[in-house]
Amino acid sequence: MRYSQLFPKTLREAPKSAITANHKFLVRAGFVDQLMAGSWTLLPMGWRVVGKINQIIREEMNNIGGQEMLMPLLHPKEIWNQTGRWEAADEVMYKLKDTRGKEYALSFTHEEIVMDLVKKFVHSYKDLPLAVYHFSTKFRNELRAQGGVLRGREFLMKDLYSLHVSEEDLMGYYEKVKQAYIKVFRRIGFDIYVTEASGGVFTDKHTHEFQVVADAGEDTIYIKPGTHEGFNKEVFEGREEDYEVKRSIEVGNIFPLGVAKYAEKMGVYFTDKDGSKKPVWFGSYGIGSTRVMGTAVEVRHDDRGIIWPKSIAPYDVHLVNLRAGDQEGVRVYEGLQKAGVEVLYDETDRSAGEKLADADLIGIPVRLVVSEKTGDKVEWKERDKDRTELLSVEEAIKRVVQ
Ligand code: ATP
Ligand code: MG
C-alpha cells in the first residue's frame, strides 16, 4: 500500500476528549473514527488489525473443533421471552419496534439464537458434542461508553457456544476453551491473567475472565502472588488471604452455563443412549476483538505512538523513501511484495521528519528507510529499539519473513 493512497491520512492532533492511549493513537494514526459515543468505524488499517486478531482466534477455535457460521443481529422479542431475558437484560438491550408494531432486540449476545438452532437440529446424543462460533457485532446500551474502543455500544466479538450430553463433558470442553484462549492471547503478545468471576445476566455459576493489566482498565483483579490466577472484585469480597490488587481490562470471558437457564427454559432436550430425554448442557465463550485491539495499544505504546506486536500489526514493514524520486524505493517495495511481505510504502514528498514521525505513530514493527546515504542497501530499524543497521534488501526480507 502506497501511503499516498492510504485512507485516511494521519492527524496532527488527538481529539480533545481522548484520555486513553488507544483513543489518542488509534484516531491520530488513522485506524478508527468515532461516529458518536461508543460507535466506531474501523478504517482500513484498523480493519487489518482486527482481521489479524480474528484470524488468530479463528485458528484456535478451529483447533478445538469449533465450526464457524454467522447468526442474525435482529432478534424477535419472543425468543428472548423464552428465557426471561427480555426483562432480565433490559438495561443492556437495544429494543425497537417496526412500523407494524412488532418488537425486536439488537443482539447483545446469542445464547437464545444458538439454543433455537439446537432445538431444530440436535435430537440425539449422536448429534453431540457440538461447538459453533461466529464473529459479529454486539449492541449494548452501555451507561458510559469510554476508553476509546475499549467500551463501545456497538463492537465486534467472537462468541463460541458448546453443547454437551453431560456436565462432565461440558466442563472438559470448558477447560479446553480456557487453554485455547490462553494461546490466543499469548499469540497476541498479552501477559494474560485468568480470574474467577460471577456470571452476570448469563449464569448463576462462576465464570472465568481473561484480564490484561493496564491503567486504562475498568476492572479490579486480585492476583495470588507469583501466579497468573486470581479473582475479580465481586468474587474476591470477604476473602482474607494476601492478594495483589491490579487494574485490568477484561478481554475474554467464558461461561459454563449448565442446563437450568437455557435448555430447560427453552425446552431443548436430546435422547440419550438409554432412550431417556435430557436437557442439553450449554457453555458460551466470548472475546471482544475490537477491545483486544485497544488493549494492545494500551500495553504497547510510547509517547510517539503505537508499538504493534508482529502478530497483529497492520503491515509487516513500513518502507520510507527519503530520496528524491521513487526509483530505488520502488525496487525495494516490489522486492518485499514479491517475497510476500505486507508493506506500507511512504513514497510521498513530505519532509523526512514528518514521514519518520508517522512511522513511529502508526507503529509497524519494522521500519526500512531508503535514502541518499543507504546506496543499494536499506536502513533497518525496529519500532521498539533505537538501533539502526544497513542491510541488503535480501537480508532485510529474510529477517522479516523468518
Ligand atoms: P464489561 O464487564 O467490560 O462490561 P462484560 O463482562 O459485560 O464486559 P461479556 O459479556 O463477558 O462482557 O463479553 C465478552 C467480551 O466482549 C468481553 O470480555 C470483552 O472482551 C468484550 N466486550 C464486552 N463489552 C464490550 C464493550 N462494551 N465494548 C467492547 N468490547 C466489549
Ligand atoms: Mg464479561
Side-chain angles (χ1 to χ4, degrees):
M1 169 61 65
R2 284 172 179 266
Y3 185 84
S4 62
Q5 282 162 22
L6 179 68
F7 175 77
K9 303 295 184 273
T10 56
L11 302 173
R12 265 176 212 284
E13 303 282 343
K16 288 205 174 59
S17 61
I19 300 166
T20 51
N22 87 86
H23 191 170
K24 284 181 200 161
F25 289 136
L26 287 174
V27 171
R28 265 194 67 205
F31 286 76
V32 301
D33 177 71
Q34 189 169 33
L35 176 64
M36 59 181 172
S39 165
W40 299 89
T41 294
L42 295 174
L43 294 163
M45 277 209 290
W47 183 235
R48 286 182 79 91
V49 171
V50 170
K52 292 196 175 177
I53 293 167
N54 287 349
Q55 185 53 26
I56 291 173
I57 298 171
R58 178 176 288 122
E59 286 167 18
E60 298 304 336
M61 294 304 100
N62 291 348
N63 272 341
I64 54 170
Q67 300 184 52
E68 187 172 353
M69 57 181 193
L70 183 61
M71 292 176 272
L73 305 183
L74 191 61
H75 302 165
K77 175 181 181 177
E78 297 74 46
I79 206 162
W80 289 93
N81 271 339
Q82 292 180 30
T83 56
R85 288 212 290 180
W86 181 264
E87 298 298 334
D90 185 57
E91 269 184 19
V92 65
M93 283 166 103
Y94 283 106
K95 297 176 174 177
L96 55 126
K97 260 189 203 154
D98 70 11
T99 49
R100 291 172 297 278
K102 188 171 159 53
E103 288 183 278
Y104 303 88
L106 290 179
S107 172
F108 80 99
T109 185
H110 277 83
E111 280 81 8
E112 281 77 354
I113 312 305
V114 170
M115 272 306 189
D116 187 63
L117 285 168
V118 173
K119 199 170 176 174
K120 288 175 191 154
F121 296 110
V122 172
H123 306 293
S124 148
Y125 70 94
K126 288 180 191 158
D127 302 322
L128 295 168
L130 172 67
V132 289
Y133 71 97
H134 73 167
F135 293 89
S136 81
T137 298
K138 297 285 177 283
F139 296 91
R140 294 189 182 181
N141 188 4
E142 301 279 359
L143 216 53
R144 272 179 294 277
Q146 58 191 14
V149 300
L150 295 180
R151 185 172 298 285
R153 296 207 167 99
E154 183 180 336
F155 58 94
L156 277 183
M157 196 203 285
K158 180 286 304 171
D159 33 334
L160 168 77
Y161 301 85
S162 75
L163 295 310
H164 307 268
V165 294
S166 64
E167 179 164 28
E168 192 189 359
D169 201 59
L170 165 64
M171 293 318 292
Y173 192 73
Y174 183 83
E175 195 49 43
K176 266 195 191 171
V177 179
K178 197 192 282 174
Q179 295 312 319
Y181 269 35
I182 291 171
K183 269 194 207 157
V184 165
F185 293 126
R186 287 210 181 122
R187 287 179 64 181
I188 292 167
F190 288 162
D191 186 19
I192 200 80
Y193 290 82
V194 183
T195 56
E196 236 179 273
S198 63
V201 293
F202 291 87
T203 175
D204 303 327
K205 294 190 172 26
H206 275 188
T207 71
H208 286 89
E209 292 177 343
F210 297 79
Q211 300 273 1
V212 174
V213 171
D215 292 336
E218 293 185 58
D219 286 20
T220 305
I221 54 171
Y222 297 80
I223 298 301
K224 193 177 163 80
T227 75
H228 274 66
E229 284 168 17
F231 301 92
N232 86 350
K233 206 170 178 171
E234 305 128 49
V235 176
F236 185 73
E237 237 117 69
R239 280 173 197 270
E240 301 284 318
E241 307 100 292
D242 267 346
Y243 275 72
E244 287 165 7
V245 189
K246 297 178 193 286
R247 283 298 260 180
S248 63
I249 303 169
E250 179 199 318
V251 287
N253 203 173
I254 57 177
F255 303 81
L257 298 170
V259 291
K261 274 201 149 183
Y262 300 92
E264 286 175 357
K265 285 191 172 156
M266 292 181 71
V268 185
Y269 292 86
F270 70 98
T271 309
D272 209 349
K273 275 188 189 140
D274 60 5
S276 64
K277 283 221 173 299
K278 292 181 178 164
V280 175
W281 286 83
F282 195 23
S284 76
Y285 318 86
I287 297 179
S289 20
T290 40
R291 183 180 285 182
V292 166
M293 172 169 72
T295 304
V297 178
E298 291 302 324
V299 296
R300 292 177 58 111
H301 67 269
D302 58 18
D303 51 4
R304 288 168 302 172
I306 305 167
I307 307 173
W308 291 110
K310 209 173 154 179
S311 59
I312 63 168
Y315 292 94
D316 303 317
V317 166
H318 194 143
L319 173 64
V320 182
N321 183 18
L322 300 181
R323 274 188 202 191
D326 204 20
Q327 219 174 2
E328 183 60 14
V330 166
R331 186 180 75 88
V332 179
Y333 181 42
E334 288 176 352
L336 287 162
Q337 282 188 315
K338 263 198 208 112
V341 178
E342 295 172 357
V343 191
L344 178 62
Y345 172 36
D346 192 340
E347 85 292 32
T348 60
D349 56 9
R350 302 180 302 154
S351 74
E354 251 179 294
K355 293 201 261 194
L356 298 178
D358 267 357
D360 282 345
L361 174 62
I362 293 169
I364 293 165
V366 173
R367 186 188 80 188
L368 295 180
V369 172
V370 173
S371 73
E372 307 295 348
K373 284 184 285 183
T374 57
D376 62 353
K377 302 204 160 175
V378 289
E379 182 199 84
W380 168 287
K381 184 186 167 298
E382 288 164 39
R383 177 61 182 85
D384 59 352
K385 301 198 178 67
D386 293 325
R387 204 162 79 104
T388 59
E389 279 174 88
L390 262 191
L391 299 179
S392 71
V393 179
E394 293 67 36
E395 278 172 299
I397 290 172
K398 226 162 123 193
R399 276 207 204 172
V400 177
V401 298
Q402 82 183 0

